[in-house]
Amino acid sequence: MTHAILTLNAGSSSLKVSLFPADGDQPMASGVVDRIGAAAEIRLKDRDGQPIATEGSLASHAEAISTVIAGFRGHWPDLALLAIGHRVVHGGPSRTAPVGVDEGLLVELERLSSFAPLHQPHNLAGIRAAMEAFPGVQQVACFDTAFHRSQPWVNDAFALPRQLFDEGVRRYGFHGLSYEYITGELARIAPQLAEGRVVVAHLGNGASMCAIQNGRSVASTMGFSALDGLPMGTRCGQLDPGVLLYLMDQKGMNAAEISDLLYTKSGLLGLSGLSNDMRTLEAAGTPEAGQAIDYFVFRCQRELGAMAAALGGIDALIFCGGIGENSRLVRARICERLAWMGIEIDHGRNAANERVVSSELARTTVMVIPTNEELVIAGGARAIAGRLGQEAA
Ligand code: ADP
């Protein structure tokens, strides 16, 4: 038997999948299904980069999941899934760790959909689809909010009437699976730094920063929703709430229209009028693309200052995410005016994409660590499946 753990990350029209061996960290296969519901496309590869053949419908998440598994079964005829781990964006105030899925949990998580309307429903649809396709397999929910539940009250609250806090209107923070991975990696490669004051900048299409003290989240730039903090590919980042009042009062926009504006038409795309993709903006050379990058860099510097203030200083800055891991330009520019924080980039190391990109004598270590959310999900699923298996025995 080939025992394995499947991880699923279901977005609005995409599904990212990885298949891990029962007790290993290197995926046996991974891939993505894009544009589910329209002109869907599937790309699956095994660990040698060989395409995995698939046949079947991709019209819905449920069908895409079945098609993916059928493809894996074709490749490994004796495949036995031990558990399926799901990325779930919102676990609410009480979920601090991965948990086995049952009907009660799904009801609890569905109630949180209004907190993350663009992500949560798709995550839950992915779980339901996997339950339907594989009723006997343990499903495990791994939350993007869980890592941040250690934050102190002052970072958890908004200065709004308390009743709203009690209803759940708080700062949750997201990208927690990525921060958990980076925290673990740092503890492995630089244990002394991991015990100190660390800011992790997860800069991808979604972007946020997290202030971490001795492995625990102290503050993060994302708040109640995945809109706050840094500007992103198509999301606005921090915004004066007065702008929303103006849009409603003066422009007559309703909630759906404002949501569409803030989630899908803003950020790098809105500012550049060109693209949400940093590579395209770096190559474009238009004034608007330049300003979009300037804005992104400036807000990263501001929020980095805020994260360092929350920690009372900074020992290490870690870049991850598509932009953080790959854009030498953005990394160099963010670090440009941060000598006062002890941050000095070594341009040679940065250009070579080395793991440590700060200069030898800099007070603050700057590193690039590729993130791996799938591995954290697989670890969560493995732990829960193992525990429940032991309890049942
Ligand atoms: P997501 O948040 O959707 O997982 P990613 O972490 O994959 O996104 O990040 C996507 C972003 O990373 C895009 O803006 C892309 O342009 C950027 N990116 C990837 N490679 C490079 C590169 N070599 N140089 C600059 N930006 C890059």
Side-chain angles (χ1 to χ4, degrees), residues 82-98:
L82 295 178
I84 302 180
H86 298 265
R87 178 188 192 178
V88 178
V89 74
H90 219 306
S94 61
R95 295 288 166 191
T96 58

Side-chain angles (χ1 to χ4, degrees), residues 10 13 96-97 131 133 135 162 164 170 186 219 257 273 315 347 357 361:
S13 62
T96 58
M131 285 168 85
R162 276 183 176 268
L164 284 166
R170 341 176 152 187
L186 193 64
E257 290 164 337
D315 301 307
H347 290 285
V357 296
L361 297 175

Side-chain angles (χ1 to χ4, degrees), residues 6-351:
L6 178 71
T7 66
L8 295 181
N9 181 350
S12 55
S13 62
S14 71
L15 179 73
K16 289 186 193 154
V17 297
S18 289
L19 189 69
F20 286 85
D23 50 10
D25 286 351
Q26 294 302 320
M28 301 151 63
S30 53
V32 65
V33 188
D34 275 323
R35 294 195 297 272
I36 294 172
E41 246 185 6
I42 184 166
R43 276 164 287 140
L44 287 186
K45 285 186 175 161
D46 70 13
R47 66 156 65 100
D48 302 321
Q50 293 305 313
I52 294 177
T54 54
E55 229 176 86
S57 169
L58 304 171
S60 66
H61 282 83
E63 289 178 352
I65 290 172
S66 295
T67 300
V68 165
I69 310 269
F72 288 157
R73 289 226 162 103
H75 214 71
W76 292 278
D78 62 346
L79 183 69
L81 289 182
L82 295 178
I84 302 180
H86 298 265
R87 178 188 192 178
V88 178
V89 74
H90 219 306
S94 61
R95 295 288 166 191
T96 58
V99 63
V101 175
D102 59 20
E103 199 47 45
L105 181 82
L106 287 178
V107 171
E108 176 189 322
L109 298 180
E110 262 151 20
R111 270 195 233 113
L112 298 168
S113 282
S114 62
F115 290 2
L118 270 72
H119 296 93
Q120 190 86 343
H122 304 296
N123 301 157
L124 300 183
I127 298 183
R128 288 216 182 266
M131 285 168 85
E132 211 177 289
F134 303 96
V137 178
Q138 177 66 53
Q139 314 283 330
V140 177
C142 302
F143 305 106
D144 255 326
T145 47
F147 183 72
H148 301 293
R149 298 318 302 144
S150 55
Q151 290 185 9
W153 181 84
V154 283
N155 275 323
D156 217 18
F158 294 109
L160 290 168
R162 276 183 176 268
Q163 188 201 334
L164 284 166
F165 179 85
D166 298 338
E167 280 174 25
V169 182
R170 341 176 152 187
R171 278 182 227 276
Y172 292 97
F174 299 92
H175 286 141
L177 300 168
S178 174
Y179 294 130
E180 192 175 328
Y181 176 79
I182 298 291
T183 304
E185 270 301 277
L186 193 64
R188 196 176 64 77
I189 58 188
Q192 258 181 327
L193 280 181
E195 286 172 13
R197 300 160 299 180
V198 178
V199 178
V200 181
H202 177 112
L203 309 180
N205 216 2
S208 71
M209 285 184 186
C210 183
I212 300 170
Q213 173 107 50
N214 197 12
R216 286 164 70 87
S217 172
V218 170
S220 55
T221 59
M222 274 184 178
F224 175 65
S225 72
L227 283 172
D228 203 4
L230 303 175
M232 305 172 219
T234 60
R235 289 175 246 162
C236 57
Q238 190 269 327
L239 191 71
D240 179 344
V243 174
L244 305 184
L245 299 175
Y246 169 80
L247 295 175
M248 286 187 285
D249 276 353
Q250 303 299 317
K251 297 189 72 88
M253 290 174 75
N254 63 30
E257 290 164 337
I258 293 177
S259 172
D260 188 47
L261 178 82
L262 302 182
Y263 276 100
T264 70
K265 297 195 165 62
S266 300
L268 295 174
L269 174 66
L271 284 171
S272 68
L274 178 69
S275 172
N276 64 320
D277 193 299
M278 188 59 89
R279 270 170 301 200
T280 307
L281 299 183
E282 286 184 12
T286 63
E288 292 81 6
Q291 279 191 329
I293 299 175
D294 289 348
Y295 185 84
F296 185 82
V297 166
F298 178 63
R299 299 306 300 204
C300 284
Q301 291 172 328
R302 270 187 61 151
E303 293 293 338
L304 186 53
M307 293 297 106
L311 290 166
I314 179 169
D315 301 307
L317 166 65
I318 317 287
F319 285 107
C320 66
I323 298 171
E325 289 165 28
N326 298 298
S327 175
R328 297 148 175 89
L329 173 89
V330 171
R331 281 198 308 258
R333 289 207 43 206
I334 290 174
C335 294
E336 230 163 46
R337 291 168 52 237
L338 298 179
W340 63 275
M341 289 173 79
I343 290 177
E344 268 173 65
I345 208 154
D346 179 312
H347 290 285
R349 288 176 173 177
N350 185 49

